[in-house]
Amino acid sequence: MVVTTTSLPLFVLGQGVDPHSERGVDCPGELPPASDPALVARARKAKEALGDRLFVLGHHYQRDEVIQFADVTGDSFKLAREAAARPEAEFIVFCGVHFMAESADILTSDRQKVILPDLAAGCSMADMATFDQVEEAWEVLEDAGIAGVTVPVTYMNSSADIKAFCGRHGGAVCTSSNAKRALDWAFEQGEKVLFLPDQHLGRNTAVLEMGLSLDDCVVYNPHRPNGGLTDEQLRNAKMILWRGHCSVHGRFTAENVDDVRARVPGVNVLVHPECRHEVVTKADYVGSTEYIIKQLEAAPAGSTWAVGTELNLVRRLGTMFPDKTVMFLEKTVCYCSTMNRIDLPHLVRSLESLAAGQVVNQITVDPETTHWAKVALDRMLALP
């Protein structure tokens, strides 16, 4: 393949490729075409051949054609723990995105191999906080004289090296369901929190659950000198929020909530805490992916729900609970584009390769990063 280069920020009409635009886009071997009617049968055959040597994890945001082959479905942290709870499985095929597979590798044994069907399945939020950027931000906090009283807390949706950074600097990991507990713990250790990489989860938890004010929060922009903040702003803040967000949940607006309430009388608005603060404050219910599922499960028959999260899950919830009306909060389609890179052709290739004795797309985290990332994860697991 000839690689062409260009000075344009975008390639015109898809001409040319940029080998540096994504990590791991190289995928040796031929994928079966998406229209191949034998794909389902081939996946089943390969999975049966592998038997107990294989354990397939499926994130809630995966498409149905992939979810049907998952042994367990869940959010990122649940799936990583499920992988760790299956020491007999030689191969863990993680149908999710890169940071999830990294977490699974960190929490599983050395003899287990974690496979990501498409190495290009990343997470835009996780990519918004790189190790070098966070190291530079910590130097800014040191120069402002506050690093010693600041505890870094990173959302599960972050790379392994960011988790390791938090482990080395006395911090922890959190999920969307235990963010308040993690922040309570952090404020027992220090006076301030550097929250990575999702500003919205950090702000919503601090203000709506912990009683802090919006004035207690500042946003650190890694693309601006000093994060775009003065030393005084950093010293006065209690929550230093990284300028990151989820590309899916960040789409929802307060106008979406107003619109659905005007169109659908009696609708219940249920959103994820990665949504913007003005969306969360207008919603009726706010919670993690697992919370959203449980809320709909317990909802009375005949009730109507507008859900602000990824579309694959919203559509699946509508099928799971036919006695309720479940709709998408926004009118336009909002799939997680990177999560949707894991499709049936990629899954089939992974399973058939493993069945043939060839390990493809293995995710490995180096021992040093694994050690410190696990320190941060263990601190979270020790939370009451």
Side-chain angles (χ1 to χ4, degrees), residues 270-350:
L270 171 61
V271 302
H272 195 280
E274 290 175 20
C275 291
R276 303 179 193 186
H277 187 68
E278 58 267 26
V279 174
V280 167
T281 54
K282 286 200 167 201
D284 300 302
Y285 304 92
V286 182
S288 67
T289 302
E290 295 290 341
Y291 171 89
I292 288 172
I293 296 170
K294 291 177 181 176
Q295 191 69 30
L296 284 171
E297 186 178 27
S303 56
T304 302
W305 297 81
V307 183
T309 192
E310 205 273 344
L311 185 55
N312 273 317
L313 176 59
V314 177
R315 293 177 63 181
R316 190 173 302 123
L317 291 171
T319 303
M320 289 170 59
F321 306 114
D323 60 332
K324 298 141 196 174
T325 300
V326 180
M327 66 186 68
F328 193 54
L329 178 58
E330 192 188 23
K331 290 181 178 179
T332 56
V333 173
C334 189
Y335 289 105
C336 177
S337 58
T338 51
M339 191 77 73
N340 271 267
R341 289 182 183 272
I342 308 296
D343 56 12
L344 198 49
H346 283 88
L347 179 60
V348 168
R349 175 178 178 269
S350 297

Side-chain angles (χ1 to χ4, degrees), residues 26-333:
D26 182 39
C27 187
E30 293 296 323
L31 288 176
S35 58
D36 187 342
L39 281 176
V40 172
R42 288 170 61 181
R44 286 176 180 160
K45 181 179 178 181
K47 191 177 181 191
E48 289 172 2
L50 289 162
D52 292 339
R53 299 172 64 202
L54 172 72
F55 193 60
V56 180
L57 303 171
H59 191 272
H60 287 307
Y61 297 169
Q62 289 291 311
R63 55 181 87 194
D64 288 342
E65 68 181 32
V66 169
I67 282 290
Q68 65 179 316
F69 294 103
D71 295 305
V72 173
T73 60
D75 61 14
S76 58
F77 183 61
K78 175 186 174 181
L79 294 179
R81 293 189 74 174
E82 288 285 350
R86 300 297 194 286
E88 71 282 358
E90 182 180 353
F91 305 116
I92 306 293
V93 173
F94 208 125
C95 298
V97 293
H98 196 271
F99 79 80
M100 300 178 188
E102 283 184 332
S103 296
D105 185 60
I106 290 166
L107 293 173
T108 52
S109 67
D110 291 340
R111 64 169 290 275
Q112 294 175 289
K113 296 177 174 62
V114 178
I115 310 300
L116 184 65
D118 186 348
L119 291 176
C123 171
S124 60
M125 180 200 294
D127 289 344
M128 290 176 190
T130 68
F131 180 77
D132 289 343
Q133 288 174 334
V134 176
E135 283 273 286
E136 182 178 334
W138 197 253
E139 292 175 4
V140 170
L141 301 189
E142 289 176 334
D143 291 342
I146 60 172
V149 295
T150 302
V151 179
V153 175
T154 188
Y155 189 22
M156 191 73 180
N157 299 29
S158 57
S159 63
D161 52 8
I162 299 303
K163 293 182 176 73
F165 173 91
C166 290
R168 281 194 300 271
H169 291 277
V173 179
C174 76
T175 69
S176 55
S177 57
N178 71 6
K180 181 181 183 298
R181 278 177 285 164
L183 288 179
D184 284 338
W185 171 86
F187 279 114
E188 291 172 0
Q189 318 306 311
E191 299 173 12
K192 304 173 185 294
V193 169
L194 171 63
F195 193 86
L196 304 152
D198 180 22
Q199 61 170 305
H200 300 307
L201 177 62
R203 181 183 296 105
N204 290 330
T205 304
V207 175
L208 300 180
E209 296 190 53
M210 301 180 65
L212 274 67
S213 71
L214 290 174
D215 291 336
D216 291 323
C217 307
V218 294
V219 178
Y220 185 96
N221 185 345
H223 303 292
R224 296 183 63 185
N226 219 59
L229 300 167
T230 65
D231 287 353
E232 183 180 7
Q233 286 175 309
L234 288 168
R235 293 184 189 117
N236 291 337
K238 293 183 179 179
M239 289 286 293
I240 303 169
L241 307 168
W242 195 261
R243 190 176 183 268
H245 65 275
C246 171
S247 300
V248 170
H249 294 106
R251 286 180 60 107
F252 300 113
T253 65
E255 289 74 23
N256 293 149
V257 180
D258 294 338
D259 176 70
V260 78
R261 291 199 192 280
R263 291 186 292 108
V264 186
V267 68
N268 297 281
V269 178
L270 171 61
V271 302
H272 195 280
E274 290 175 20
C275 291
R276 303 179 193 186
H277 187 68
E278 58 267 26
V279 174
V280 167
T281 54
K282 286 200 167 201
D284 300 302
Y285 304 92
V286 182
S288 67
T289 302
E290 295 290 341
Y291 171 89
I292 288 172
I293 296 170
K294 291 177 181 176
Q295 191 69 30
L296 284 171
E297 186 178 27
S303 56
T304 302
W305 297 81
V307 183
T309 192
E310 205 273 344
L311 185 55
N312 273 317
L313 176 59
V314 177
R315 293 177 63 181
R316 190 173 302 123
L317 291 171
T319 303
M320 289 170 59
F321 306 114
D323 60 332
K324 298 141 196 174
T325 300
V326 180
M327 66 186 68
F328 193 54
L329 178 58
E330 192 188 23
K331 290 181 178 179
T332 56
V333 173

Side-chain angles (χ1 to χ4, degrees), residues 4-19 21:
T4 61
T5 60
T6 176
S7 60
L8 293 175
L10 297 174
F11 289 106
V12 180
L13 299 178
Q15 297 177 9
V17 296
D18 180 359
S21 63

